[in-house]
Each structure stands twice: as structure tokens, then as C-alpha cells.
Amino acid sequence: MNQAIESSYHEAKQLYAKHGIDVDAVLRKLSEIKISLHCWQGDDVQGFLFKDKALSGGIAVTGKYPGRARTPDELRQDLEKALSMIPGKHKVNLHAIYADTDVQVDLNELEPVHFQGWVEWAKQNGLGLDFNPTMFSHPKAEDGFTLSHPDPEIRQFWIEHCKASRRIGAYFGEQLGQPCVTNYWLPDGYKDTPVDRLSPRVRLCEALDEIFQEVANPAHNIDAVESKLFGLGSESYVVGSHEFYMGYAMSRGKAMCLDSGHFHPTEMISGKISSILMFTDRLLLHMSRPVRWDSDHVVTMDDELLDIARELVRGNFLDRTHIGLDYFDGSINHVAAWVIGTRNTQKALLRAMLEPVNILRKLEEDRDYTSRLALVEEFKSYPFGAVWDYYCAQAGVPVREDWLHAVKSYEQEVLIKR
Ligand code: RNT
Ligand code: ZN
């Protein structure tokens, strides 16, 4: 390893050790945290099942950056490239529309066999898989309702799709020897103020209960439900609100999914984690970044990211939390988008683990708020970067912005030619 990286690491280690932080132990812990890379960043949320179907469901991708993946093989190749620049072993998060099959099947007919290519690939690469039913970009979702649709036939179609998805998730978990998180997000809602907020929620609740009737082994499949405040075209009312899913997850023993882009602009999810994990077993995070009306910008090292990481570390919640990325930016290199978001999430976790939590907790108990503030602020400029560089070098992935060169040559050699 590069001499400068090693000596900076040893200096940093000593500084942290003065506050009782064992940096080697921190790095071991960090290496155990899996981030789930969302496949849909790789192709602007198009999928392979219905070619050229416009993206719907109140979510949108802007930008026409060249090189988006057009086939499962291209998408896997791009994911491998991204993963080669990210330290550690991770997971890939699939959506139902990413089925790897030549036969034309509809969403309600999907079976594990349609994802066999993904399973084989995950095995070869030592990856886990997560899953999502796709309740958008489909003719039966066009009027803005799926599982809460007033028409029982349409509702039934989506129930069947979710049941099928759950079986696929369980298959992933069984095949790969690690649980698959199957996450349910649906766009259902109204553009304008509804008269009846209750009935769609009653229908959604019944539909979910029906989906979850079949017993699933939690070692293979974990169900999570994802709320949203509003979407494009559902500005006034979303059936699956935060309150709805809080009640649902807690009464049914499901995992909550908090997407950091799904709340009011000043409402942060970091502050919610400790309350939610008091009353639910598991949490799924969709790491994203809201910007005005958009909920899906690339994750950057902002205060909220760091606060989420701190909550997970300080509350000892990492074992019960599944971390996934969820954003789609079509204006930048698709591979770079994964690398930036994943590395930032890991870096934030590292920074949080390198804080003197025990000392800070003691100061708080002693009501020495002056020292608490002083120490938190001083630690913001402690040399976590030296630790991160060492961690990357040790894992055999590019150090600092070196990965960008690799992305640029991949762009020239592969992406631009698509
Ligand atoms: C949409 C939700 C949802 C989707 C993905 C594609 O607002 O965040 O998680 O982004 O399922
Ligand atoms: Zn999400």
C-alpha cells in the first residue's frame, strides 16, 4: 500500500484512540454493512419487461446522459463496474420490470424463473438481492391507482403481482442465503383534494392483508412498506401516507421503509428512526435527496445523511436496518451516480462510527451541553478522510477521486458505444 496513505492512517488512528475509539474495529464493522444498489439508476427506471413504456407513477427522470443499460447483461456489467469502485460486499435491489426473460409475461404471472439470470449472477459475485413489485409504468396503473383501486378486478391484478413478487423475494433469500427485503411502494393518490380519504386506505389495507396471508420465512423474505407525502399528480393526497404505514407496519409486524425524499422539505427522517425502531423490528432506508418537488437526487454528504448515519450508530440500530439507495439522475454518468451515492453513504457511516459516542453521551447525562457542542463540532474536522482512504486501499478499490478515471474510460470504451 501507498506509504502516505498508511502513515496518515496511523496518525489518524492515534488521534481517535485518545478518545477511546478503536479505528481497526470500526473498519471491521463498516465492512459488514451492506448497501443495496438500486438497479433502476442504471437505465432511468425503464426496465426490460415492457420496452419503451413511459415512466409513470408520479416519478420522473430528467436528463439524457448517454449509455443507459438496455439489457440485463448491460445492466449487470455496469453494476459490476460500479461495485469494483466500492469497498465491501453489497446487495442489488431489483424491480419486477427488470425480469431477465425472453417470454412476454405480465406482472401478475412473474415467477422466480424469470429472475434466474440475476440469481446466478448474484451468486457468482457474492451479492445479495432485494426486490420490489412494480406498481407503475403499466396500463393497469394509468389512472393513478393500483392496490387501492375502486375496481376489484384491477385491485386483484395488483394483489396477484405483489404475491408473485413476494415469492420471488423469498426465492432470492433462499438461493443466496441472506434475506431479501421485498418493498411495497405504490403511487396511489389524487391530484386534487379528495372527498373521501378513508375508503382508498381501507381498500389498501385489505389488499396488503391478502398479499401477506401466505406465511413467508423471515430468513428468506422481509416485507417492507414505503410511504410518501406526495408525488407528481398526487399532490393533494397519497393513500399510503406515513401515518397509514406506521399503523400498518406496527400492527402487522412489517418493516417500515423511510425514503429520505418522501417528507416535507424541512422534515428529516433521521429524527424518526429511534421512535420507529422502538415499535418495529426492522427498518428499510431509501437513501435519497429531496430538492424542491423532486425526491430523487443523488445522495450527497449533507447534514441529513450524516444525521441518519449517527442515529443508526448511536442507537445501535445497524443490525435491524437495511440500507438501500433510491434516486435516479439521468443527467450524469449512470455508473458514477451509484459510486457517489454508495461511497457517500459508507463515508457517513464511517464518520458516525468515528465519533466518541460514549464520551458525548456522558456529557449529555451530566448536562454539560457546552462540552457536548464543542466536541461534536471539533470532531467534524477530525481526519476521517485518512481512515476512508486506508479502508479503500485495503479493500483494493480506488482511493479518493481515482475512481473517476475508471468511470471515464468505461464511458469511452463501453457506454458511449451503446
Ligand atoms: C417512489 C419511491 C420508490 C421508487 C422505486 C423505483 O417515490 O421512492 O421507492 O423510487 O420503487
Ligand atoms: Zn423510495
Side-chain angles (χ1 to χ4, degrees):
M1 189 187 299
N2 178 310
Q3 200 55 51
I5 293 176
E6 214 158 346
S7 60
S8 302
Y9 175 68
H10 286 294
E11 269 175 42
K13 222 167 110 165
Q14 282 167 12
L15 271 177
Y16 285 111
K18 278 194 198 155
H19 295 275
I21 301 161
D22 178 347
V23 179
D24 288 323
V26 163
L27 291 187
R28 275 196 298 279
K29 207 156 177 220
L30 183 64
S31 72
E32 283 160 20
I33 304 173
K34 289 176 197 281
I35 312 288
S36 195
L37 272 70
H38 55 322
C39 76
W40 51 93
Q41 165 58 43
D43 78 328
D44 303 336
V45 208
Q46 272 294 300
F48 310 120
L49 217 45
F50 313 107
K51 287 273 172 217
D52 302 321
K53 181 93 185 96
L55 178 59
S56 72
I59 50 178
V61 180
T62 48
K64 283 247 171 297
Y65 203 86
R68 70 170 200 86
R70 296 157 304 172
T71 63
D73 283 334
E74 286 182 355
L75 187 53
R76 287 189 281 258
Q77 188 189 2
D78 294 353
L79 279 161
E80 279 176 36
K81 192 75 211 173
L83 287 162
S84 74
M85 299 174 229
I86 296 165
K89 279 281 163 208
H90 299 283
K91 295 179 98 179
V92 167
N93 198 1
L94 295 176
H95 241 281
I97 48 171
Y98 290 81
D100 182 0
T101 173
D102 294 330
V103 267
Q104 194 55 58
V105 279
D106 206 347
L107 292 172
N108 58 336
E109 305 157 340
L110 282 172
E111 289 177 38
V113 65
H114 301 120
F115 292 86
Q116 196 54 37
W118 285 105
V119 171
E120 297 306 331
W121 174 77
K123 279 184 189 168
Q124 279 158 19
N125 289 276
L127 298 164
L129 289 176
D130 292 316
F131 200 60
N132 305 261
T134 308
M135 291 183 259
F136 51 82
S137 302
H138 187 279
K140 288 200 166 65
E142 239 141 50
D143 50 11
F145 285 85
T146 61
L147 283 178
S148 71
H149 203 288
D151 178 343
E153 254 176 59
I154 296 186
R155 219 159 56 228
Q156 201 52 39
F157 172 85
W158 291 111
I159 290 172
E160 295 308 322
H161 172 50
C162 289
K163 285 184 173 176
S165 297
R166 199 161 175 254
R167 287 193 285 266
I168 293 163
Y171 178 73
F172 288 172
E174 182 249 310
Q175 287 290 305
L176 301 172
Q178 51 178 308
C180 163
V181 182
T182 304
N183 177 54
Y184 301 79
W185 173 75
L186 41 121
D188 303 25
Y190 287 117
K191 183 179 184 68
D192 223 331
T193 318
V195 171
D196 179 3
R197 286 189 168 82
L198 178 63
S199 300
R201 290 190 170 136
V202 171
R203 290 194 292 265
L204 175 55
C205 184
E206 284 170 3
L208 290 170
D209 283 348
E210 190 177 332
I211 294 162
F212 298 138
Q213 240 166 37
E214 212 170 277
V215 183
N217 182 347
H220 298 159
N221 180 75
I222 294 166
D223 300 305
V225 286
E226 179 179 6
S227 70
K228 192 166 182 173
L229 180 68
F230 76 92
L232 297 168
S234 60
E235 290 86 358
S236 302
Y237 168 78
V238 163
V239 183
S241 63
H242 183 55
E243 293 72 18
F244 175 87
Y245 281 126
M246 282 259 279
Y248 192 85
M250 285 171 195
S251 57
R252 270 52 171 193
K254 299 294 170 195
M256 279 287 285
C257 171
L258 294 180
D259 183 311
S260 49
H262 285 190
F263 294 83
H264 290 284
T266 58
E267 186 182 6
M268 300 295 145
I269 65 164
S270 49
K272 301 178 189 296
I273 294 171
S274 54
S275 305
I276 289 176
L277 279 174
M278 277 181 68
F279 304 106
T280 55
D281 276 349
R282 304 206 150 258
L283 177 69
L284 169 63
L285 293 179
H286 270 189
M287 309 302 291
S288 189
R289 179 165 49 102
V291 176
R292 303 193 193 281
W293 55 82
D294 180 63
S295 62
D296 298 299
H297 277 60
V298 179
V299 170
T300 55
M301 180 59 76
D302 57 10
D303 285 349
E304 172 62 353
L305 178 64
L306 192 51
D307 278 337
I308 292 170
R310 284 169 167 157
E311 282 301 311
L312 298 181
V313 169
R314 293 175 186 175
N316 236 332
F317 294 136
L318 281 160
D319 293 347
R320 297 200 280 144
T321 306
H322 305 268
I323 306 174
L325 307 175
D326 183 16
Y327 49 78
F328 14 101
D329 186 339
S331 72
I332 62 172
N333 180 297
H334 295 78
V335 175
W338 277 316
V339 179
I340 294 166
T342 313
R343 284 176 65 121
N344 273 336
T345 305
Q346 291 179 297
K347 248 188 269 184
L349 288 164
L350 173 65
R351 284 182 73 175
M353 288 178 188
L354 289 175
E355 286 185 335
V357 181
N358 293 334
I359 297 174
L360 292 171
R361 196 170 272 146
K362 180 80 179 47
L363 292 171
E364 190 162 277
E365 273 168 26
D366 296 345
R367 295 196 215 148
D368 184 355
Y369 306 138
T370 311
S371 306
R372 179 185 66 181
L373 181 62
L375 211 53
V376 165
E377 291 307 303
E378 283 304 328
F379 259 77
K380 286 182 178 168
S381 46
Y382 263 54
F384 70 90
V387 179
W388 171 250
D389 291 348
Y390 176 85
Y391 182 63
C392 289
Q394 199 193 32
V397 305
V399 174
R400 293 189 210 134
E401 66 278 12
D402 275 359
W403 63 266
L404 190 56
H405 306 303
V407 166
K408 290 284 181 184
S409 27
Y410 186 69
E411 185 172 296
Q412 285 313 308
E413 284 151 27
V414 180
L415 300 177
I416 220 97
K417 294 179 183 153
R418 284 182 183 163

